[in-house]
């Protein structure tokens, strides 16, 4: 069955430090992968998406993600975290055969001053 | 106006009440969705409407009843809910229902508490 796993429930980093959030997917066909962010009290906002081509994709707010087929991973990175990046981050995969986007359980990011 | 607007933002109801959640999108999209977000669980797709027609019902109990009168409005009617139905209900829209190349635009959610 198609699934998305985010191994880290909660991550804390210091402001200015680098960040990597992990995402693994289980999906037989070519995956269509996404990262969304949810700030407190808000809905989800798309950060970036991967369909094909260059495996390193750039997104908004200085985020990037790298698709690694051999590892079934789509990890999100940012070189220097800002306090405003504190939020919950969701990895997702769009399914081919129905109108569904399967989400991971999310990783909550705390940024220390 | 934000792209996707949900009302009310917060709702407390008893198990015998009937209430409705409303979603409106101002993006000209053709597909609309209801998702349920519970603590520590992945988002769960509940319903999908494409051009006002329901295309997905993800085994949702009948105490949740969706209504899509037009492409811009989506309702979720609630009746005899259970405490475990307490959650954040997110409405989303997309240009069309092919999410492989599209993007979901979410509202801020309606926080439902069932007593």
């Amino acid at each position: 069955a198609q699934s998305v796993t985010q191994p880290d429930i909660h991550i804390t980093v210091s402001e200015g430090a680098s960040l990597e959030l992990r995402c693994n997917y289980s999906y037989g066909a070519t995956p269509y992968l996404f990262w969304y962010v949810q700030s407190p009290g808000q809905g989800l906002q798309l950060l970036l998406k991967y369909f094909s081509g260059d495996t390193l994709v750039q997104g908004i707010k200085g985020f990037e993600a790298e698709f690694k087929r051999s590892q079934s991973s789509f990890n999100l990175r940012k070189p220097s975290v800002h306090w405003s990046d504190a939020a919950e981050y969701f990895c997702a995969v769009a399914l081919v055969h129905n109108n569904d986007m399967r989400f991971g359980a999310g990783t909550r990011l705390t940024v220390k001053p | 106006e934000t792209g996707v607007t949900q009302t009310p933002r917060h709702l407390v109801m008893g198990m015998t009440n009937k209430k409705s959640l409303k979603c409106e999108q101002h993006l000209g999209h053709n597909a609309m969705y209801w998702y349920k977000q519970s603590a520590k669980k992945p988002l769960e797709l509940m319903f999908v409407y494409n051009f006002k027609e329901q295309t997905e019902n993800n085994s949702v109990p009948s105490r949740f009843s969706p209504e899509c009168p037009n492409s811009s409005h989506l309702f979720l009617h609630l009746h005899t809910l259970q405490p475990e139905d307490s959650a954040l209900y997110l409405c989303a829209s997309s240009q069309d229902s092919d999410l492989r190349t599209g993007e979901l635009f979410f509202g801020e959610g309606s926080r439902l508490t069932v007593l």
Side-chain angles (χ1 to χ4, degrees):
Chain A
Q2 300 88 353
S3 67
V4 178
T5 303
Q6 293 181 247
D8 305 305
I9 296 173
H10 184 203
I11 283 182
T12 300
V13 299
S14 298
E15 190 168 16
S18 63
L19 171 70
E20 182 168 28
L21 302 182
R22 296 183 291 166
C23 172
N24 294 98
Y25 65 91
S26 171
Y27 190 49
T30 300
Y32 296 78
L33 296 161
F34 304 78
W35 274 100
Y36 281 82
V37 60
Q38 184 179 32
S39 298
Q42 303 294 315
L44 280 72
Q45 180 186 20
L46 181 69
L47 282 175
L48 48 79
K49 56 189 177 184
Y50 170 78
F51 297 150
S52 63
D54 193 348
T55 55
L56 185 64
V57 294
Q58 303 297 321
I60 62 171
K61 304 184 181 186
F63 285 92
E64 65 178 28
E66 186 170 12
F67 170 61
K68 293 185 177 180
R69 186 184 295 275
S70 61
Q71 298 177 17
S72 298
S73 69
F74 188 57
N75 294 348
L76 181 72
R77 301 194 295 247
K78 187 169 185 178
S80 177
V81 169
H82 188 262
W83 64 266
S84 60
D85 293 324
E88 185 125 24
Y89 292 80
F90 295 91
C91 183
V93 60
L95 306 184
V96 174
H97 298 297
N98 59 27
N99 311 330
D100 192 2
M101 184 169 287
R102 199 64 53 86
F103 288 85
T107 298
R108 184 161 64 91
L109 173 66
T110 298
V111 180
K112 292 191 302 184
Chain B
E1 286 266 7
T2 57
V4 180
T5 304
Q6 291 187 241
T7 55
R9 293 292 308 278
H10 300 273
L11 178 63
V12 179
M13 59 187 289
M15 289 191 286
T16 59
N17 292 158
K18 287 185 181 180
K19 297 286 184 182
S20 296
L21 305 181
K22 179 183 176 182
C23 176
E24 183 174 2
Q25 58 98 358
H26 308 278
L27 301 168
H29 289 166
N30 296 310
M32 296 188 75
Y33 310 76
W34 281 115
Y35 278 89
K36 177 182 179 183
Q37 186 177 29
S38 304
K40 303 294 188 287
K41 292 175 66 175
L43 271 72
E44 301 172 57
L45 178 67
M46 300 176 72
F47 301 104
V48 181
Y49 279 82
N50 194 30
F51 290 95
K52 302 187 298 178
E53 299 297 320
Q54 187 180 123
T55 57
E56 293 290 333
N57 177 338
N58 207 19
S59 303
V60 180
S62 59
R63 57 186 184 268
F64 294 91
S65 174
E67 179 190 0
C68 188
N70 54 61
S71 293
S72 299
H73 293 86
L74 184 64
F75 295 89
L76 187 62
H77 303 300
L78 315 170
H79 178 49
T80 60
L81 295 191
Q82 305 298 311
E84 60 264 29
D85 296 324
S86 299
L88 182 68
Y89 289 85
L90 290 165
C91 175
S93 70
S94 61
Q95 183 60 53
D96 57 46
S97 59
D98 186 353
L99 292 178
R100 293 173 296 172
T101 55
E103 173 183 348
L104 284 170
F105 290 80
F106 285 85
E108 295 176 328
S110 293
R111 173 72 61 188
L112 173 66
T113 302
V114 181
L115 301 176

